[in-house]
Amino acid sequence: MLITHKPSTSLQPIQQSVCVNFNYDVYFTNGLFQLDNSLLAQVIAADGEITAKKVLAIVDGGLLKHQHGLLKQISVYADFYSDVINLSEPPIIIPGGEIVKNEPRFVEQIHQMIDAAGLCRHSYVLAIGGGALLDMVGYAAATAHRGIRLIRVPTTVLAQNDSGIGVKNGINAYGKKNFLGTFMPPYAVLNDFDFLTSLSDRDWRSGIAEAVKVALIKDADFFEFIMKSAEKLAARDMKAMEQLIYRCAQLHLAHIANSGDPFEKGSSRPLDFGHWAAHKLEDITYYKLRHGEAVAIGIALDSTYSYLTGLLSQSEWQKILGTLETLGFTLYLSALREQLHQPEHPHYLFRGLSEFREHLGGKLTITLLQGLGQKIEVNQVDISVYKQAILMLQDWELSHP
Amino acid sequence: MLITHKPSTSLQPIQQSVCVNFNYDVYFTNGLFQLDNSLLAQVIAADGEITAKKVLAIVDGGLLKHQHGLLKQISVYADFYSDVINLSEPPIIIPGGEIVKNEPRFVEQIHQMIDAAGLCRHSYVLAIGGGALLDMVGYAAATAHRGIRLIRVPTTVLAQNDSGIGVKNGINAYGKKNFLGTFMPPYAVLNDFDFLTSLSDRDWRSGIAEAVKVALIKDADFFEFIMKSAEKLAARDMKAMEQLIYRCAQLHLAHIANSGDPFEKGSSRPLDFGHWAAHKLEDITYYKLRHGEAVAIGIALDSTYSYLTGLLSQSEWQKILGTLETLGFTLYLSALREQLHQPEHPHYLFRGLSEFREHLGGKLTITLLQGLGQKIEVNQVDISVYKQAILMLQDWELSHP
């Protein structure tokens, strides 16, 4: 580039620097809507304003299959704490799962309700459900009046230790996952372990994948804990699960606070270890694969790649795959091979690399492992080695039926 | 509220604190797209990445009536600096004015183009136009991939000294101004004074109202400057206008940086002096009134209220109204009286107070004046005094034809 700028005015540029602080607490509790549990009321009362605050409650329809009395319980709770909580109308039921992120009408519905209820920036949207619902409701709340306070009540393992405690929201558009969304920290997060008891085995297990991920990139001791607790976790031991969620949330939150890039302006994204393939696998399987199930395969794939390129030892690699296996994850899908030699096909797995780069921005940055608890970032990968890794995962599954 | 919370788990809350820094420069120039002005290319090259960056340029259709060669000029500029700028397609023309904020299809159009062009978070959306277009494009850019870099090129007085340099974006929905939007600082702002020469007299004048506003609440010397320059400004003296824009931008940016509440989480909003009535007047007149024209009336109204309640002296009040008048503003509208005694009518002016409170959140906080350059905030107002103020503005207009 030719540098030919002649200053056309004597007015100096004004250098603007804005620092924005976001503070929110992540609580752990049981029986959130029992009348003798005043946590939610206290969180809402904590801003010191004296009048009852408008609250719009949105409940994941998937929950109600198991938690039959939940809607009634929320209304009774709001009545009991009516000096703090002004439930603007009965809780709204919205389907759970990826469908709420794929159809824009759900965000519109929330916007309409916020308008109709006359919520303001000091009112509350209370979102109760799994990660997809929290992502969608969070996007709606973040964009109404430029941001209404969002209290998240994550009800799955995945949401309690990962998506529900972070600073992102979003919906899918144009076939791209989270194409629309913002970075916006919640007002508070209330993790109620009781919700986990009614999860299906698949959902219980699925959320553990993100804990394995964060352990592998950040904390060898935590990986050791997961490895040793894998059988208990698979057998739905609640104490082990509480420990897992708490430590995973701690590591995740510390990363956001201390990475120096909480709103992801740079190219590095270590928390997305295993995710380039995971996002694509969800797409390829039309979301029949749960996010955590896809992440488990993504972790297995990137760990195998790390092993094949000499970054991980064989025993480390085996510990990772063995732990995922004990937890009950499937590490290979026939879909992994199907379009492996058709780069033009939209389901070609390695399109996930460029889609991942486009979504994150900047240059391709893939996180690999150079030890248990030790990540390393690379800016290019060898697809032929990845193809070999896929064959190894196929062999592994065949030999560990 | 009964405080009966029994800790149901021994796990302590995790207190999260996230600090996000946003830095952006506001530049002043002439001839932005002339080949010997490398400012834009330098701003894009400044992130240090070596490849040319994708840029999606969006141009306010209203501009093209006067700037016939602009589209061609942008393309030639991008070609000349092609080692830095990769214009993903020819500049897109979008209408200017409030219509782009009232119809959701424009945001959708920008999202589609961002998707089609494969922009990532390190790409650029270059928005060239008036405040309404910048608000709409800013919202689209802020929500695609959770935020694409936005370079604003404001082309009106109002956008160069106020809306185009701040941290907000938004569109209207459900009949509410800026119901949808986010707080998101731009990547950079490039103010090119040459665009101002082709403004209509109304648009030239309109933007001065925000400078009067910021002077009145923050800087007596600046108000003195505007008062003394009012005839020159009304006669389109460019040097006076450049000084006005620069000082107004400085004060505005300093407020955002130093208020301690850049994303407006609290109830105080001093920069909205005169705006509760202005927003409602735009609505009542179906946006026939320009924003700045409405702000001038809002300033006159709140200044008169300040005078009637003893906060301002008569001479201060007269200086304010006299300055607005010399600048060419009309300070009274028949619409101000029409629904003055019909609280149920949607056009009842004082509905503007509750709509203002709802949009900002928290408790009603209205900024008044207790001197030139000295604001004071109040949490309640006396509508009967406002009605008297309206009669005084009517008298003023009749006696200053």
Side-chain angles (χ1 to χ4, degrees):
Chain A
M1 182 183 71
L2 279 159
I3 303 297
T4 54
H5 180 47
K6 49 162 214 270
S8 52
T9 154
S10 58
L11 298 170
Q12 289 304 304
I14 305 174
Q15 298 180 322
Q16 176 72 333
S17 181
V18 181
C19 177
V20 188
N21 276 297
F22 299 95
N23 298 296
Y24 61 98
D25 293 344
V26 178
Y27 296 89
F28 301 87
T29 192
N30 295 99
L32 181 65
F33 295 108
Q34 286 172 17
L35 296 186
D36 63 354
N37 187 338
S38 61
L39 176 62
L40 172 61
Q42 285 184 48
V43 165
I44 290 176
D47 75 352
E49 293 184 31
I50 32 175
T51 53
K53 309 301 288 289
K54 281 187 186 171
V55 177
L56 181 71
I58 294 146
V59 179
D60 192 322
L63 267 182
L64 299 177
K65 289 178 207 150
H66 306 282
Q67 314 266 345
H68 302 290
L70 183 61
L71 296 183
K72 174 84 179 165
Q73 219 183 350
I74 294 170
S75 295
V76 170
Y77 187 91
D79 278 349
F80 187 75
Y81 291 102
S82 62
D83 47 347
V84 176
I85 299 173
N86 171 12
L87 211 59
S88 47
E89 51 187 298
I92 298 148
I93 305 161
I94 299 271
E98 204 68 17
I99 184 178
V100 295
K101 296 183 64 171
N102 282 329
E103 297 185 14
R105 69 188 161 100
F106 293 108
V107 168
E108 280 162 29
Q109 184 184 348
I110 309 290
H111 281 153
Q112 277 162 16
M113 317 237 41
I114 290 172
D115 166 55
L119 297 196
C120 79
R121 227 178 264 167
H122 291 207
S123 309
Y124 296 81
V125 170
L126 178 68
I128 305 162
L133 178 117
L134 298 180
D135 274 359
M136 182 280 287
V137 175
Y139 180 50
T143 48
H145 290 305
R146 300 198 180 103
I148 291 183
R149 294 174 179 176
L150 173 71
I151 298 181
R152 297 197 197 118
V153 179
T155 59
T156 64
V157 176
L158 185 71
Q160 291 195 355
N161 69 12
D162 188 83
S163 63
I165 60 172
V167 296
K168 302 188 214 176
N169 57 56
I171 59 171
N172 310 325
Y174 310 109
K176 292 177 180 170
K177 194 163 164 91
N178 296 322
F179 180 80
L180 297 177
T182 70
F183 290 95
M184 186 44 61
Y187 187 82
V189 182
L190 314 180
N191 275 339
D192 179 349
F193 294 128
D194 288 347
F195 282 115
L196 308 182
T197 56
S198 56
L199 292 177
S200 71
D201 284 349
R202 276 185 77 184
D203 284 323
W204 170 280
R205 181 187 306 114
S206 180
I208 303 174
E210 297 285 0
V212 174
K213 172 204 77 181
V214 81
L216 283 173
I217 59 175
K218 290 200 172 266
D219 186 340
D221 289 345
F222 186 37
F223 181 73
E224 186 85 9
F225 163 81
I226 298 174
M227 191 170 67
K228 293 197 170 150
S229 314
E231 286 186 16
K232 274 192 193 172
L233 286 164
R236 302 191 66 142
D237 180 293
M238 185 58 94
K239 269 284 156 281
M241 182 56 98
E242 290 182 8
Q243 283 179 271
L244 175 116
I245 287 173
Y246 193 80
R247 182 66 187 144
C248 183
Q250 265 184 329
L251 289 166
H252 192 124
L253 290 164
H255 176 83
I256 295 169
N258 305 323
S259 65
D261 188 19
F263 282 9
E264 301 180 1
K265 294 173 201 160
S267 298
S268 164
R269 215 66 42 80
L271 285 183
D272 278 338
F273 172 60
H275 276 59
W276 74 265
H279 288 164
K280 194 68 196 167
L281 285 168
E282 287 180 81
D283 180 28
I284 292 174
T285 61
Y286 303 99
Y287 291 93
K288 284 193 194 103
L289 214 54
R290 297 236 193 321
H291 179 66
E293 293 169 341
V295 168
I297 296 173
I299 291 171
L301 187 60
D302 283 347
S303 299
T304 305
Y305 184 95
S306 302
Y307 166 50
L308 285 172
T309 51
L311 291 164
L312 276 187
S313 71
Q314 188 179 35
S315 78
E316 290 169 324
W317 172 68
Q318 286 171 333
K319 280 182 184 174
I320 297 170
L321 267 57
T323 301
L324 290 170
E325 193 192 12
T326 307
L327 288 166
F329 288 109
T330 300
L331 305 184
Y332 176 79
L333 273 191
S334 56
L336 264 174
R337 288 199 64 180
E338 275 163 17
Q339 281 82 23
L340 218 46
H341 302 286
Q342 299 176 53
E344 299 311 316
H345 196 286
H347 280 182
Y348 179 61
L349 179 71
F350 300 105
R351 282 182 169 238
L353 288 166
S354 57
E355 288 165 5
F356 184 71
R357 192 214 61 75
E358 176 188 318
H359 182 57
L360 303 189
K363 59 185 173 189
L364 179 70
T365 306
I366 297 290
T367 300
L368 297 173
L369 299 179
Q370 53 181 345
L372 301 175
Q374 275 192 292
K375 67 176 173 62
I376 180 173
E377 297 192 337
V378 300
N379 296 116
Q380 52 186 29
V381 292
D382 182 339
I383 287 179
S384 68
V385 177
Y386 264 120
K387 290 181 178 174
Q388 204 184 330
I390 288 170
L391 296 178
M392 284 180 73
L393 289 180
Q394 187 180 23
D395 288 347
W396 174 283
E397 282 289 296
L398 290 172
S399 60
H400 297 74
Chain B
M1 182 184 70
L2 279 160
I3 303 297
T4 55
H5 180 46
K6 50 163 211 281
S8 53
T9 155
S10 59
L11 298 169
Q12 291 302 306
I14 305 174
Q15 296 179 323
Q16 176 72 334
S17 182
V18 181
C19 178
V20 189
N21 276 297
F22 299 95
N23 298 296
Y24 62 97
D25 292 344
V26 178
Y27 296 89
F28 300 87
T29 192
N30 295 99
L32 181 66
F33 294 108
Q34 286 172 18
L35 296 185
D36 63 354
N37 188 338
S38 61
L39 176 63
L40 172 62
Q42 285 184 48
V43 165
I44 291 175
D47 75 352
E49 293 184 33
I50 31 173
T51 53
K53 309 303 288 289
K54 282 188 187 172
V55 177
L56 182 70
I58 294 148
V59 179
D60 192 322
L63 267 182
L64 300 177
K65 289 178 208 152
H66 306 281
Q67 314 265 343
H68 303 290
L70 182 61
L71 296 184
K72 174 85 180 163
Q73 219 183 350
I74 295 170
S75 296
V76 169
Y77 187 92
D79 278 349
F80 187 75
Y81 291 102
S82 62
D83 47 347
V84 175
I85 299 173
N86 171 12
L87 211 59
S88 46
E89 51 188 298
I92 298 148
I93 305 161
I94 299 270
E98 204 68 17
I99 185 179
V100 294
K101 296 184 65 170
N102 283 328
E103 297 185 13
R105 69 188 161 98
F106 293 108
V107 168
E108 280 162 30
Q109 184 185 348
I110 308 290
H111 281 153
Q112 276 162 17
M113 316 237 42
I114 289 171
D115 167 55
L119 297 196
C120 78
R121 228 177 263 166
H122 292 207
S123 309
Y124 297 82
V125 170
L126 177 68
I128 305 162
L133 178 116
L134 299 180
D135 274 359
M136 183 280 288
V137 175
Y139 180 51
T143 48
H145 291 306
R146 299 196 180 105
I148 291 183
R149 294 173 180 178
L150 173 70
I151 298 181
R152 297 198 196 117
V153 179
T155 58
T156 64
V157 175
L158 185 71
Q160 291 195 355
N161 69 12
D162 187 82
S163 64
I165 60 170
V167 296
K168 302 187 215 178
N169 58 55
I171 59 171
N172 310 327
Y174 310 109
K176 292 176 181 171
K177 194 163 164 90
N178 296 321
F179 180 80
L180 297 177
T182 71
F183 290 94
M184 186 44 62
Y187 187 81
V189 182
L190 314 180
N191 275 339
D192 179 350
F193 294 128
D194 288 346
F195 282 116
L196 307 181
T197 56
S198 57
L199 291 178
S200 72
D201 283 348
R202 277 185 78 185
D203 284 323
W204 170 279
R205 180 187 306 116
S206 181
I208 303 174
E210 298 285 359
V212 174
K213 172 204 76 179
V214 81
L216 284 173
I217 59 175
K218 292 201 171 265
D219 186 339
D221 289 345
F222 186 38
F223 180 74
E224 187 86 9
F225 163 81
I226 299 175
M227 191 170 68
K228 293 198 169 147
S229 314
E231 286 185 19
K232 273 192 193 172
L233 286 163
R236 302 192 65 144
D237 179 292
M238 186 59 93
K239 268 285 156 276
M241 182 56 98
E242 290 182 9
Q243 282 179 271
L244 176 115
I245 287 173
Y246 193 79
R247 182 67 187 146
C248 183
Q250 265 184 329
L251 288 167
H252 193 123
L253 290 163
H255 175 83
I256 295 169
N258 304 323
S259 66
D261 188 18
F263 282 10
E264 302 180 2
K265 294 171 201 160
S267 298
S268 165
R269 215 65 42 79
L271 286 184
D272 278 338
F273 172 58
H275 277 58
W276 72 265
H279 288 164
K280 194 68 197 166
L281 285 168
E282 287 180 81
D283 180 29
I284 292 174
T285 61
Y286 303 99
Y287 291 93
K288 285 192 192 101
L289 214 54
R290 297 236 193 322
H291 180 65
E293 293 168 340
V295 168
I297 296 174
I299 291 172
L301 186 60
D302 284 345
S303 300
T304 305
Y305 184 95
S306 303
Y307 165 50
L308 286 174
T309 51
L311 291 164
L312 276 187
S313 71
Q314 190 180 35
S315 78
E316 290 169 325
W317 172 68
Q318 285 172 335
K319 280 182 184 174
I320 297 171
L321 266 60
T323 301
L324 290 170
E325 193 191 10
T326 306
L327 288 166
F329 287 109
T330 300
L331 304 184
Y332 176 78
L333 273 192
S334 56
L336 263 175
R337 288 199 65 179
E338 275 163 15
Q339 281 81 24
L340 215 47
H341 302 287
Q342 297 176 53
E344 300 311 314
H345 196 287
H347 280 181
Y348 180 60
L349 180 70
F350 300 105
R351 283 182 169 239
L353 287 166
S354 57
E355 288 166 6
F356 184 71
R357 192 214 61 75
E358 176 187 318
H359 182 58
L360 302 188
K363 59 186 173 187
L364 178 70
T365 306
I366 297 291
T367 300
L368 297 173
L369 299 179
Q370 54 181 344
L372 302 175
Q374 274 193 294
K375 68 177 172 62
I376 179 172
E377 296 191 338
V378 299
N379 297 117
Q380 52 187 28
V381 293
D382 183 338
I383 287 180
S384 68
V385 176
Y386 265 120
K387 289 182 179 173
Q388 204 184 329
I390 289 170
L391 295 178
M392 284 181 72
L393 289 181
Q394 187 181 22
D395 289 346
W396 175 283
E397 282 289 296
L398 288 173
S399 58
H400 298 72

